[in-house]
Amino acid sequence: MPPLLIDDAPALPLDAQGILELAARSMFHLFSSVSQGMFLVDLSGRIVWVNEGYQRFLPDLGFSSLDQFLGRMVEEVIPNTGMRRVLESGNPVLIDLLTNKAGTFVVSRIPLRDDAGSVIGAIGIVLFDHPETTLQPLISKFALLQRDLDDARRELASQRRRSLVAAAAAGDGERRSKYTFASFIGSSPAAAEVKRQARRAAQSSSPVLLLGETGTGKELLAHAIHAASSRAGGPFVSVNIAAVPDTLLEAEFFGVAPGAYTGASAKGRDGKFKLADGGTLFLDEIGDMPQSLQAKLLRALQEGEIEPLGSNKLVPFNVRILAATSRDLSALVREGRFREDLFYRLHVLPVRVPPLRARRSDIPALVESLGDDLALRNGTPPPEVLSDAMALLAGQPWRGNIRELRNVIEQAVMRSEGQSIDAAQLERILREAGVEPAAPVQDTTAVVVVEAEDESRYLRPLAEQVAELERRAIQAAMKAHGGNKLATARQLGISRATLYGRLENPE
């Protein structure tokens, strides 16, 4: 076999720069030939070149000739494009979904730089058009993964319900907290402050008094405080004082000795203090406690021991007390209906839980969480609360707070024919409950006033200023659309995937 002659074969350039230039040309020609289309813009965003493949999209974009398209600003001719952000930040977008009147596309956007490294333009590449067909195997795979994830969520919810039932069947001694601080939804200043106070309270062993209107989440915070405390491994026992008849409260708290009275169990019965030994006892609606029992509770807290009903034996206990009330305890003390000494025994670490109307910005997150919870329980997709409905929800006074909000959302989901909930549905539900709907919240916080004389703020890297403006734009759009991510993405002309990425990584 004659030797292979390579003398006449094309050779690579000998210098690194020549190799890079050759690679760049080769990659450009490759993408131009195998992609669905390409175009170039200059630094100002003006379209300066379009390859033959991209020209087939022009009629759908509303142009009958290439001359009408060339020389125009990219935002004018390609709706929802993100090319401007690439030009201003210099960062490429390797994979993105673009949807406009020409269709849905998988695209890349890459900045072009001169020898000094400065951005001088950008190239847009359509990798796939009609991804619902060209990427069907990949989409099917992700759809299967999504179904598996939904199934796993439903199974987890089912397991959680079974575990709660099993714990209740096993007896009070097996009770554990159900919630953590992550369960208290909200990032508003009011929500952040109450979580900060509650976390500090969790590090102490002193009594905590949770104050606030009904339905604000006091019991949830009690669970969270226990879960974050050094007693998290012990039992969490709760008693709703308002739900127990006065004649049974003493036995409920302190227990009953064997044969204490006619018909009493021969084995006796442990009270809540005994069941909570080594853990936390949560006294809900403490303001409804009868005065006859307040003195006995005070003595138990002072001495650290109880005397079961019908017994002469003192039983020591080790319990951390959490109490909650929706009533004004200070007013009850002044009226002589609540013992002042017991009030001060409980009012060591007061935590005031704000009403929902004091943290309206948390409503979109709460609605999303409530919708996800309903979807898990019912095995259905989460509801889509439209922007007009979200604005209406944000404007209501919510006398019943989160409990009332949950009821309204659940009614809307159960009575809706589809997956969307609009303002008209919510108005009907509110009126049927005897509530006249308040006006929707109108956003007035999105206006940014720039003082012309203060130019020092612009003496920063351009990418930093662009990122700051982008964050403000996303915040303003989210507020304007009541937290609806789909509407926000459409307003800003970006894909939902891009929006989710910006929300998760704001920097």
Side-chain angles (χ1 to χ4, degrees):
M1 180 177 179
L4 181 64
L5 299 177
I6 60 173
D7 292 342
D8 297 329
L12 284 172
L14 298 180
D15 61 301
Q17 184 62 33
I19 293 175
L20 288 176
E21 292 175 358
L22 174 62
R25 288 195 301 271
S26 299
M27 291 295 291
F28 184 86
H29 290 309
L30 175 64
F31 275 114
S32 182
S33 60
V34 302
S35 69
Q36 301 300 311
M38 291 174 57
F39 66 92
L40 292 176
V41 297
D42 62 17
L43 185 58
S44 69
R46 196 175 307 278
I47 295 178
V48 296
W49 175 82
V50 175
N51 78 340
E52 185 176 351
Y54 197 91
Q55 294 180 33
R56 62 193 177 95
F57 301 126
L58 299 186
D60 291 329
L61 291 172
F63 299 95
S64 58
S65 69
L66 180 60
D67 292 337
Q68 294 177 340
F69 191 75
L70 287 174
R72 302 281 292 275
M73 301 304 291
V74 65
E75 295 91 346
E76 299 176 5
V77 294
I78 305 178
N80 300 333
T81 180
M83 191 65 78
R84 178 67 58 184
R85 185 167 60 252
V86 173
L87 291 170
E88 294 177 345
S89 69
N91 297 322
V93 178
L94 298 181
I95 296 290
D96 195 11
L97 278 177
L98 171 67
T99 299
N100 53 38
K101 54 188 176 182
T104 299
F105 310 94
V106 179
V107 300
S108 288
R109 307 181 188 100
I110 302 172
L112 300 175
R113 300 179 183 274
D114 60 15
D115 294 339
S118 300
V119 175
I120 57 174
I123 181 171
I125 306 172
V126 179
L127 300 174
F128 300 100
D129 60 344
H130 304 295
E132 66 276 8
T133 56
T134 56
L135 296 180
Q136 186 57 44
L138 185 60
I139 292 175
S140 298
K141 180 179 180 180
F142 276 102
L144 180 61
L145 290 174
Q146 184 63 51
R147 286 196 298 270
D148 290 344
L149 178 60
D150 292 339
D151 291 341
R153 284 174 172 167
R154 284 191 290 269
E155 179 60 25
L156 285 172
S158 177
Q159 288 181 5
R160 183 171 180 269
R161 287 194 296 269
R162 289 197 298 269
S163 65
L164 293 177
V165 172
D172 289 342
E174 296 298 322
R175 296 182 184 184
R176 294 291 184 269
S177 57
K178 304 175 186 177
Y179 308 105
T180 66
F181 286 115
S183 307
F184 192 89
I185 306 298
S187 58
S188 65
E193 176 61 19
V194 75
K195 283 191 280 189
R196 185 191 67 80
Q197 294 179 13
R199 285 193 179 95
R200 290 190 62 184
Q203 306 308 311
S204 170
S205 59
S206 299
V208 177
L209 181 60
L210 297 163
L211 304 167
E213 299 175 7
T214 180
T216 53
K218 298 187 295 295
E219 183 174 358
L220 185 151
L221 277 176
H223 282 264
I225 290 172
H226 171 76
S229 73
S230 59
R231 295 175 175 263
F236 178 88
V237 178
S238 64
V239 54
N240 189 324
I241 295 172
V244 181
D246 293 355
T247 54
L248 300 180
L249 266 177
E250 184 174 354
E252 187 77 10
F253 274 114
F254 307 125
V256 180
Y261 50 83
T262 303
S265 170
K267 295 182 178 180
R269 180 175 181 270
D270 290 334
K272 299 300 186 185
F273 274 90
K274 180 64 175 178
L275 295 173
D277 194 42
T280 300
L281 176 60
F282 175 50
L283 307 178
D284 199 8
E285 298 299 344
I286 188 73
D288 292 337
M289 175 173 284
Q291 288 183 292
S292 59
L293 191 59
Q294 291 177 22
K296 294 184 179 180
L297 175 61
L298 176 63
R299 184 185 183 283
L301 297 180
Q302 288 175 335
E303 304 298 331
E305 54 189 19
I306 58 172
E307 184 176 345
L309 194 65
S311 172
N312 294 321
K313 182 179 179 182
L314 294 175
V315 179
F317 66 87
N318 176 20
V319 166
R320 200 268 179 95
I321 296 294
L322 305 179
T325 182
S326 57
R327 306 183 67 177
D328 186 346
L329 280 190
S330 298
L332 294 179
V333 169
R334 291 193 298 270
E335 295 167 6
R337 297 164 59 190
F338 197 87
R339 291 182 64 102
E340 187 174 16
D341 44 8
L342 178 58
F343 171 76
Y344 289 122
R345 171 65 64 172
L346 297 172
H347 197 267
V348 178
L349 292 173
V351 176
R352 186 166 295 279
V353 187
L356 188 54
R357 59 185 173 275
R359 53 189 192 102
R360 296 181 190 273
S361 61
D362 292 332
I363 287 179
L366 284 166
V367 170
E368 185 173 355
S369 177
L370 294 172
D372 288 343
D373 183 59
L374 287 172
L376 283 174
R377 288 197 280 120
N378 299 325
T380 59
E384 180 187 7
V385 180
L386 301 180
S387 58
D388 62 340
M390 194 68 76
L392 180 70
L393 292 174
Q396 304 313 302
W398 298 118
R399 292 177 57 85
N401 293 292
I402 299 172
R403 187 178 292 119
E404 183 184 4
L405 175 64
R406 177 189 294 274
N407 177 265
V408 170
I409 294 298
E410 189 163 7
Q411 284 195 60
V413 170
M414 295 297 102
R415 296 162 61 173
S416 177
E417 296 293 335
Q419 290 302 119
S420 298
I421 298 174
D422 59 25
Q425 295 172 277
L426 298 178
E427 287 178 350
R428 286 195 298 270
I429 292 171
L430 290 169
R431 288 195 172 97
E432 289 173 8
V435 177
E436 183 59 31
V441 166
Q442 300 297 326
D443 178 41
T444 59
T445 63
V447 178
V448 179
V449 179
V450 179
E451 300 177 2
E453 65 274 11
D454 183 10
E455 298 182 353
S456 62
R457 70 183 66 186
Y458 303 116
L459 303 179
R460 295 179 292 152
L462 183 60
E464 181 181 326
Q465 298 184 55
V466 171
E468 179 181 345
L469 182 60
E470 183 180 82
R471 284 194 300 271
R472 291 179 177 177
I474 290 175
Q475 291 170 0
M478 287 285 285
K479 288 180 181 179
H481 294 287
N484 187 305
K485 297 183 179 65
L486 177 59
T488 297
R490 287 174 177 168
Q491 173 78 44
L492 297 176
I494 59 177
S495 68
R496 277 185 291 178
T498 300
L499 176 63
Y500 293 148
R502 296 293 187 275
L503 292 174
E504 293 174 2
N505 301 290
E507 296 301 320

